[in-house]
């Protein structure tokens, strides 16, 4: 990465000081950094300063991975050996993520055995800004936006709320302020992908090297917005990917796209469907107003149901807190804890299975030892 040109392209892919620092220990070994643009059944497409490569993880990588979440995902910066002749990369490590969207659920198949410790699947990594897209048609739903904000905060990426299909409403200001009220500190933009109105405002988040992803239900206009951002370059992007894909990987389409005007878009099917999560503080952040009331409750473990001195109930009573918002908060909290319990149960079953396996192995060994002992 000594020449300026390639440096620029690394930067346009999102390379920065964070990754530079984490890459340092690997650079003396002749390894190169690259960013994962697509993943398909443990085969990766990686872009680096030498071009686009197919890549697999090394045997050592598989041995040291403890969870599914340790494996590369779209958006990850990985460290690889390049086998120039075979046009193939061998991934040795994943550089520390700045943010990641993951699905922590009961998943089976697809991945090599990782010891079954956790079943976290990373859907996309190193996203700076996540566009939470809603349609201003009958899709407009404040409670759903609250849910998306929670998911976004859990990822570590910065949420920006996009209200699309602005052309269908004439009460835009009301819509925007209604959303601003439930998402303090989050930018809210009304746009129309159809007429391109307001789309310029997205450029602010799409500076060179900045990565964005889109979240939102089907039909809200995510593809339309992405296509507009891609402009005429879209076809060219496809051509390039067709030209340099080789052999069996030709069908893998790219899910990480560098926009002609700068900025990187990550669009994976998994991201679009994200619904489950386990909470890493996103709920507190998304509902910090409720958390602030809760801190004033008389009892620190107040359930805000019928305890005396409950500041949340007081806020509900005098209208400082909206009942529907509080209802949604309780609902999301329940979902998260139900999910945590399910995960615990799964973990319990797994560890029990592993323990039984170990016991059986131990028992067999002992039988052998005893047999030898008797034969003496
Ligand atoms: P996705 O599922 O989120 O990717 O949504 P699409 O981009 O496929 O859009 C779904 C539908 O909404 C399509 O029929 C689009 O033409 C339409 N659509 C997208 N953006 C707008 C918009 O700004 N205004 C209107 N009226 N329709 C839009
Ligand atoms: Zn309370």
């Amino acid at each position: 990465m000594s020449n300026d040109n390639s440096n620029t392209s690394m930067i346009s892919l999102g390379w920065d000081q964070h990754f530079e620092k984490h890459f340092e220990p690997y650079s003396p070994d002749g390894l190169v950094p690259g960013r994962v643009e697509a993943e398909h059944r443990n085969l990766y497409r990686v872009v680096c300063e030498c071009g686009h490569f197919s890549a697999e993880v090394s045997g050592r990588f598989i041995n040291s991975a403890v969870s599914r979440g340790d494996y590369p995902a779209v958006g990850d910066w990985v460290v690889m050996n390049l086998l120039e002749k075979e046009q193939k990369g061998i991934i040795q490590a994943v550089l520390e993520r700045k943010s990641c969207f993951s699905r922590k659920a009961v998943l089976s198949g697809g991945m090599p055995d990782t010891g079954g410790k956790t079943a976290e699947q990373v859907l996309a990594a190193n996203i700076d800004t996540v566009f939470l897209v809603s349609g201003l048609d009958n899709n407009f739903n404040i409670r759903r936006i609250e849910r998306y904000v929670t998911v976004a905060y859990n990822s570590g990426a910065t949420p920006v709320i996009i209200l699309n299909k602005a052309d269908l409403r004439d009460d835009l200001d009301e819509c925007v302020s209604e959303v601003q009220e439930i998402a303090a500190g989050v930018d809210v933009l009304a746009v129309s992908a159809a007429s391109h109105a307001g789309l310029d405002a997205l450029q602010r988040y799409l500076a060179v090297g900045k990565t964005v992803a889109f979240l939102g239900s089907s039909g809200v206009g995510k593809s339309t917005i992405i296509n507009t951002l891609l402009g005429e370059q879209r076809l060219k992007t496809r051509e390039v990917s067709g030209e340099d894909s080789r052999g069996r990987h030709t069908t893998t389409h790219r899910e990480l796209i560098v926009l002609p005007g700068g900025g990187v878009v990550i669009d994976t099917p998994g991201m679009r469907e994200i619904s489950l999560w386990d909470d890493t503080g996103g709920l507190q952040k998304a509902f910090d107003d409720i958390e602030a009331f809760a801190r004033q409750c008389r009892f620190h473990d107040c359930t805000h149901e019928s305890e005396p001195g409950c500041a949340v109930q007081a806020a509900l009573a005098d209208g400082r807190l909206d009942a529907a918002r509080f209802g949604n908060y309780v609902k999301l909290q329940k979902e998260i804890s139900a999910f945590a319990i399910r995960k615990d149960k799964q973990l319990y079953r797994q560890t029990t299975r592993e323990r039984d396996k170990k016991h059986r192995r131990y028992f067999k060994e002992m039988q052998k030892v005893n047999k030898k002992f008797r034969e003496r």
Side-chain angles (χ1 to χ4, degrees):
M1 266 160 299
S2 47
N3 89 46
D4 279 340
N5 258 343
S6 53
N7 235 338
T8 317
S9 77
M10 287 287 281
I11 287 167
S12 70
L13 284 170
W15 184 254
D16 66 8
Q17 282 179 340
H18 167 92
F19 299 112
E20 185 86 54
K21 185 182 124 216
H22 288 278
F23 177 68
E24 234 165 59
Y26 301 101
S27 65
D29 300 330
L31 298 166
V32 297
R35 196 161 189 200
V36 177
E37 8 174 43
E39 189 249 312
H40 184 66
R41 292 174 189 254
N42 312 325
L43 283 176
Y44 302 89
R45 288 282 298 170
V46 180
V47 52
C48 64
E49 56 179 351
C50 313
H52 303 266
F53 291 83
S54 305
E56 284 169 38
V57 292
S58 70
R60 196 196 292 173
F61 187 103
I62 294 172
N63 286 336
S64 63
V66 287
S67 85
R68 213 184 145 115
D70 293 338
Y71 279 77
V74 174
D76 262 326
W77 280 96
V78 295
V79 175
M80 15 172 232
N81 310 85
L82 278 188
L83 312 177
E84 298 260 6
K85 242 197 203 155
E86 295 145 68
Q87 287 290 313
K88 200 175 130 181
I90 306 293
I91 298 171
Q92 304 293 352
V94 174
L95 295 181
E96 192 184 281
R97 292 170 180 139
K98 288 199 289 188
S99 68
C100 81
F101 281 90
S102 56
R103 178 157 60 191
K104 296 180 187 175
V106 184
L107 294 161
S108 59
M111 293 303 279
D113 186 9
T114 54
K117 279 180 192 135
T118 62
E120 176 191 29
Q121 183 194 11
V122 176
L123 301 168
N126 299 318
I127 288 161
D128 297 297
T129 304
V130 57
F131 289 142
L132 309 177
V133 190
S134 292
L136 282 167
D137 46 10
N138 49 16
N139 174 267
F140 187 59
N141 180 327
I142 289 286
R143 306 283 83 91
R144 190 182 301 123
I145 295 174
E146 285 174 337
R147 168 188 292 265
Y148 280 134
V149 171
T150 306
V151 173
Y153 276 136
N154 276 330
S155 77
T158 304
V160 170
I161 297 170
I162 305 217
L163 307 176
N164 188 33
K165 311 196 184 184
D167 50 293
L168 301 179
R169 303 281 283 233
D170 41 25
D171 58 344
L172 280 186
D173 291 346
E174 281 95 330
C175 294
V176 170
S177 50
E178 197 184 341
V179 174
Q180 271 165 343
E181 227 161 79
I182 58 103
V186 179
D187 293 348
V188 182
L189 310 171
V191 306
S192 166
S195 74
H196 294 192
L199 285 183
D200 282 350
L202 304 194
Q203 293 304 333
R204 179 142 61 96
Y205 311 94
L206 290 163
V208 171
K210 291 292 174 207
T211 304
V212 305
F214 289 76
L215 221 82
S217 350
S218 166
V220 296
K222 298 181 297 297
S223 307
T224 314
I225 297 175
I226 294 171
N227 287 343
T228 309
L229 293 173
L230 280 170
E232 295 173 350
Q233 294 290 313
R234 181 174 145 221
L235 282 173
K236 206 172 158 201
T237 312
R238 287 221 179 117
E239 264 167 46
V240 172
S241 105
E243 255 165 33
D244 65 357
S245 26
R246 286 173 176 82
R248 59 194 170 137
H249 308 310
T250 41
T251 53
T252 311
H253 79 286
R254 251 178 242 166
E255 295 170 344
L256 179 146
I257 309 148
V258 180
L259 296 177
V264 179
V265 169
I266 289 183
D267 183 33
T268 72
M271 269 296 284
R272 289 181 169 216
E273 288 155 16
I274 197 164
S275 60
L276 290 173
W277 68 85
D278 68 352
D279 195 50
T280 53
L283 194 74
Q284 275 101 314
K285 263 192 180 166
F287 292 88
D288 62 347
D289 50 340
I290 298 181
E291 299 284 332
F293 288 130
R295 276 193 293 276
Q296 290 160 23
C297 293
R298 186 178 307 159
F299 304 109
H300 73 90
D301 57 352
C302 184
T303 61
H304 322 305
E305 276 165 16
S306 54
E307 288 93 335
C310 175
V312 173
Q313 283 299 336
L316 282 168
D318 64 18
R320 278 172 299 150
L321 176 58
D322 176 42
R325 177 170 170 79
F326 180 63
N328 199 30
Y329 169 80
V330 171
K331 186 176 155 215
L332 294 177
Q333 205 174 35
K334 275 189 188 145
E335 253 179 60
I336 289 163
S337 60
F339 183 68
I341 290 167
R342 241 183 15 245
K343 210 175 84 182
D344 278 354
K345 277 190 186 153
Q346 191 209 358
L347 205 64
Y348 174 78
R349 279 198 299 271
Q350 263 171 2
T351 43
T352 312
R353 261 203 308 274
E354 272 166 37
R355 199 189 53 213
D356 289 352
K357 225 157 100 184
K358 261 188 201 155
H359 280 178
R360 276 199 298 276
R361 214 180 303 140
Y362 177 75
F363 188 68
K364 261 189 187 158
E365 285 297 317
M366 287 317 288
Q367 274 183 324
K368 271 190 221 158
V369 171
N370 284 340
K371 197 171 163 223
K372 263 192 197 151
F373 188 73
R374 279 198 303 270
E375 281 168 3
R376 261 200 223 154

